[in-house]
Amino acid sequence: MTAKPKISVLFVCLGNICRSPLAEGTFGAVVAERGAADAFLLDSAGTGAWHLGSAPDPRSIAIAARHGVDISRQRARKVTAEDFDRFDLILGMDRSNVDELRRIAPEAAPRKIHLFLDFAEGRQTDVPDPYYGGPEGFADVYRMVRTASEALAGKLPARAGGAESGQASSMT
Ligand code: 4NP
């Protein structure tokens, strides 16, 4: 039997050190809890290049660790043109991330690009940038990405465990 194709998801924020690494790690934890980690290929990236090669912000690492998730080995990178080919879904944390993704995307790619909370939960709500705030902002971000990750995991076609895959068009 041939392996079913993985669903690839790219989480995107501005700096790729606060929100999107936390979203990648949290969604990864949710699908692992459901025994579906092998069905997904996950990554994160930023639309900005200030922090290339950096580990996530220590406040993101700390809130993830408090919930049993290690994101310390992630390294920041910038969104590339290839990402629009490689990933099935590209989820921006806020509307400015989504606007920037749509601006730089090749013509066929915009249907892959969504606001994370809108795609997951049907809410036109940003995951707010916590970079210049205090630790409570990171706790808020964690709660938002955890709730959205649970919704997203329930929504994406279950390709793990022999379940039939959904139509790719149902994802976009
Ligand atoms: P992120 O947060 O987009 O959630 O990674 C930010 C991190 C760094 C900066 C802005 C936002 N910065 O301006 O350096």
Side-chain angles (χ1 to χ4, degrees), residues 44-66:
S44 68
T47 59
W50 305 284
H51 300 280
L52 295 184
S54 296
D57 188 286
R59 297 166 293 178
S60 278
I61 292 175
I63 192 74
R66 198 170 312 152

Side-chain angles (χ1 to χ4, degrees), residues 12-21 46 50-51 57 59-60 93-94 97 127-132 138 141:
V12 176
C13 62
L14 182 59
N16 192 210
I17 56 168
C18 297
R19 292 166 291 174
S20 58
W50 305 284
H51 300 280
D57 188 286
R59 297 166 293 178
S60 278
M93 295 296 119
D94 66 30
N97 305 145
V127 178
D129 184 349
Y131 186 60
Y132 293 105
F138 285 77
V141 167

Side-chain angles (χ1 to χ4, degrees), residues 135-147:
E136 68 287 352
F138 285 77
D140 289 344
V141 167
Y142 175 78
R143 273 192 291 276
M144 294 176 92
V145 302
R146 175 76 202 191
T147 303

Side-chain angles (χ1 to χ4, degrees), residues 10-172:
L10 181 68
F11 298 92
V12 176
C13 62
L14 182 59
N16 192 210
I17 56 168
C18 297
R19 292 166 291 174
S20 58
L22 196 50
E24 178 193 339
T26 303
F27 183 71
V30 167
V31 295
E33 287 163 17
R34 297 174 184 211
D38 288 349
F40 293 91
L41 191 147
L42 307 176
D43 199 0
S44 68
T47 59
W50 305 284
H51 300 280
L52 295 184
S54 296
D57 188 286
R59 297 166 293 178
S60 278
I61 292 175
I63 192 74
R66 198 170 312 152
H67 292 90
V69 182
D70 180 9
I71 64 167
S72 65
R73 284 184 294 275
Q74 294 187 34
R75 292 295 177 265
R77 71 172 181 87
K78 194 168 184 234
V79 175
T80 67
E82 293 75 45
D83 287 331
F84 295 101
D85 281 335
R86 283 179 52 219
F87 288 93
D88 300 316
L89 263 181
I90 301 175
L91 300 175
M93 295 296 119
D94 66 30
R95 276 164 280 200
S96 69
N97 305 145
V98 169
D99 288 347
E100 181 62 8
L101 285 165
R102 293 215 167 107
R103 193 182 69 75
I104 63 177
E107 221 160 78
R111 64 182 176 77
K112 299 180 168 186
I113 300 167
H114 303 270
L115 184 67
F116 182 27
L117 266 56
D118 184 29
F119 189 80
E121 302 180 67
R123 295 203 293 141
Q124 275 289 322
T125 304
D126 293 338
V127 178
D129 184 349
Y131 186 60
Y132 293 105
E136 68 287 352
F138 285 77
D140 289 344
V141 167
Y142 175 78
R143 273 192 291 276
M144 294 176 92
V145 302
R146 175 76 202 191
T147 303
S149 291
E150 287 169 4
L152 182 63
K155 178 182 166 113
L156 290 179
R159 294 187 192 179
E164 272 308 304
S165 68
Q167 295 294 315
S169 61
S170 69
M171 301 200 312
T172 54

